[in-house]
């Protein structure tokens, strides 16, 4: 199979490229080498240095391609709302250009890197009102150290659960909004063209080749960067917020399985890509600091605008549709991450 892989030099994309080569597939590798992810790294010869929003370049690369694996994106929480034009340009405009070029070339199979951030808060149940969706947490509650969301109907405590793919979308950051827009664009393209899309909603991905010392990276990278500087990881809220930390090699496996699977025709199918083994952010920071041999984490309270309390997923659908099951255990993956090679500091 001939695959156009966008974001091929990135944290996740590079692992997908490795695994595709191992499986004997022909990879057309493309990356824009954004400084937020790559710093001033020089593009290697085997990866085309170019922008997904360059329609002329896509017209050159797409003929003969059987499927597109679209990983290119600006990721992470970002610096401020002033990042919004960059997120929209690199995530949404570029995706629209790619979809138009795929239609022109007759390429009908797409695997899209999506994200769990489109859900907003996770799934919650109230003892009296069943499954409910709490609104954004009040700043006064966060300032007072009251981090758990409450039932919007009665104010009672909620029990967090696993988020299924049919949960309503509720993006709470610029990045989340652009990832949801990518799904909408791809879904419309599939309906219009008869193409098919697997939208893989990644949870908290970590592992070798993560960017270091950048606000555009995930929390695991931020903690590891602190430890490298001899500083304690700084954990926001009370450290008890739950996430699903999934190793990058498992994410690469999910992508290859999706590329090799029969693509749903005329529609987009979303799949959670997660470990199925949730942990708190505090647990992750503690395990990482212990494995690294650095200072213990410090709980600092507070929360960034748009932060959610608990977001963990149900992995069952990916298992049924793709035969995907995460292979890396949390303790093994975090222990390895303590010494995994990271990318050089990115520029912002």
């Amino acid at each position: 199979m001939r695959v156009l892989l966008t974001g091929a030099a990135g944290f996740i994309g590079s692992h997908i490229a490795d695994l595709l080569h191992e499986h004997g597939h022909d990879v057309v590798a493309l990356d824009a080498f954004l400084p937020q992810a790559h710093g001033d790294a020089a593009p290697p010869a085997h990866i085309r240095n170019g922008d997904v929003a360059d329609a002329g370049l896509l017209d050159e690369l797409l003929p003969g391609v059987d499927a597109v694996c679209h990983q290119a994106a600006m990721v992470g929480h970002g610096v401020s709302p002033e990042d919004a034009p960059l997120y929209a340009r690199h995530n949404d405009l570029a995706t629209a250009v790619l979809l138009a070029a795929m239609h022109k070339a007759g390429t009908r199979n797409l695997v899209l890197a999506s994200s769990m951030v489109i859900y907003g808060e996770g799934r919650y149940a109230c003892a009296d009102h069943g499954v409910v969706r709490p609104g954004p947490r009040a700043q006064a509650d966060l300032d007072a150290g009251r981090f758990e969301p409450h039932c919007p109907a009665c104010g009672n405590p909620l029990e967090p659960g696993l988020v299924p793919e049919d949960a309503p979308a509720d993006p709470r950051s610029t990045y989340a909004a652009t990832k949801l827009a990518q799904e909408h664009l791809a879904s419309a393209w599939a309906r219009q063209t008869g193409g098919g899309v697997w939208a893989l909603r990644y949870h908290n991905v970590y592992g070798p080749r993560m960017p270091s010392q950048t606000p555009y990276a995930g929390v695991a990278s931020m903690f590891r960067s602190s430890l490298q500087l001899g500083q304690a990881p700084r954990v926001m809220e009370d450290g008890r917020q739950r996430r699903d930390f999934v190793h990058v090699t498992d994410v690469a496996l999910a992508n290859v399985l999706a590329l090799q699977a029969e693509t749903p025709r005329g529609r987009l199918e979303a799949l959670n890509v997660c470990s199925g083994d949730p942990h708190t952010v505090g647990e992750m920071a503690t395990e990482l600091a212990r494995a690294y041999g650095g200072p213990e984490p410090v709980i600092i309270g507070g929360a960034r605008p748009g932060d959610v309390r608990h977001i963990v997923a149900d992995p069952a659908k990916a298992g049924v549709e793709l035969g995907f099951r995460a292979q890396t255990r949390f303790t093994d993956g975090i222990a390895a991450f303590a010494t995994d090679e990271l990318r050089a500091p990115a520029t912002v």
Side-chain angles (χ1 to χ4, degrees):
M1 176 170 44
R2 186 171 175 83
V3 178
L4 172 61
L5 174 61
T6 72
F11 165 44
I12 296 173
S14 64
H15 286 276
I16 296 171
D18 290 347
L19 195 56
L20 283 170
H21 285 302
E22 287 180 23
H23 282 250
H25 298 297
D26 182 14
V27 178
V28 180
L30 175 66
D31 201 293
F33 291 90
L34 296 180
Q36 292 90 344
H38 299 277
D40 57 1
H46 68 283
I47 297 178
R48 184 68 175 267
N49 183 4
D51 192 338
V52 180
D54 183 342
L57 176 59
L58 295 178
D59 288 344
E60 175 188 339
L61 298 179
L62 276 169
V65 164
D66 300 298
V68 174
C69 186
H70 185 30
Q71 305 296 314
M74 277 192 66
V75 301
H77 203 86
V79 176
S80 80
E82 293 179 10
D83 285 334
L86 286 174
Y87 277 103
R89 190 258 185 236
H90 289 292
N91 296 358
D92 298 337
L93 175 61
T95 298
V97 173
L98 173 64
L99 293 168
M102 289 177 66
H103 174 60
K104 183 177 179 181
T107 305
R108 293 288 180 263
N109 300 315
L110 174 65
V111 175
L112 173 67
S114 189
S115 174
M116 56 86 176
V117 295
I118 70 168
Y119 296 125
E121 280 287 355
R123 184 181 180 91
Y124 293 87
C126 171
D128 294 327
H129 296 96
V131 174
V132 297
R133 291 193 61 77
R137 296 176 294 173
Q139 188 60 49
D141 286 336
L142 298 175
D143 292 343
R146 297 187 294 267
F147 301 114
E148 296 290 345
H150 290 80
C151 178
C154 65
N156 286 335
L158 298 174
E159 182 67 27
L162 300 180
V163 181
E165 286 84 354
D166 61 359
D170 185 18
R172 298 189 180 186
S173 68
T174 300
Y175 172 60
T178 62
K179 296 308 287 185
L180 180 58
Q182 280 186 311
E183 285 199 14
H184 287 323
L185 288 166
S187 179
W189 169 86
R191 291 175 182 273
Q192 293 168 339
T193 65
V197 184
W198 292 114
L200 304 184
R201 293 175 179 168
Y202 304 157
H203 284 251
N204 288 66
V205 188
Y206 72 98
R209 306 177 196 165
M210 284 192 86
S212 62
Q213 300 174 37
T214 167
Y216 297 94
V219 66
S221 174
M222 295 178 185
F223 291 164
R224 169 68 191 277
S225 296
S226 295
L227 290 165
Q228 285 183 288
L229 296 171
Q231 301 170 358
R234 293 166 59 84
V235 181
M236 301 192 78
E237 301 190 20
D238 57 4
R240 297 176 184 172
Q241 57 271 41
R242 296 169 73 237
R243 300 290 188 270
D244 187 305
F245 298 99
V246 58
H247 199 266
V248 66
T249 56
D250 288 322
V251 174
L253 174 61
N255 275 272
V256 173
L257 289 173
L259 287 163
Q260 295 176 158
E262 183 176 353
T263 309
R265 299 265 60 94
R267 69 185 194 278
L268 176 148
E269 284 289 343
L271 301 173
N272 287 320
V273 174
C274 58
S275 71
D277 180 27
H279 291 268
T280 69
V281 173
E283 285 177 310
M284 191 273 285
T286 299
E287 287 284 338
L288 182 59
R290 182 182 298 119
Y292 191 87
E296 293 184 1
V298 175
I299 304 296
I300 63 171
R304 298 175 300 183
D307 275 355
V308 299
R309 180 60 173 172
H310 304 296
I311 174 69
V312 296
D314 186 344
K317 187 177 177 183
V320 171
E321 298 288 350
L322 303 181
F324 170 73
R325 184 183 182 90
Q327 304 296 307
T328 305
R329 297 194 316 162
F330 174 78
T331 51
D332 296 336
I334 295 298
F337 185 60
T339 55
D340 280 338
E341 182 178 359
L342 301 186
R343 294 175 182 268
T347 57
V348 296

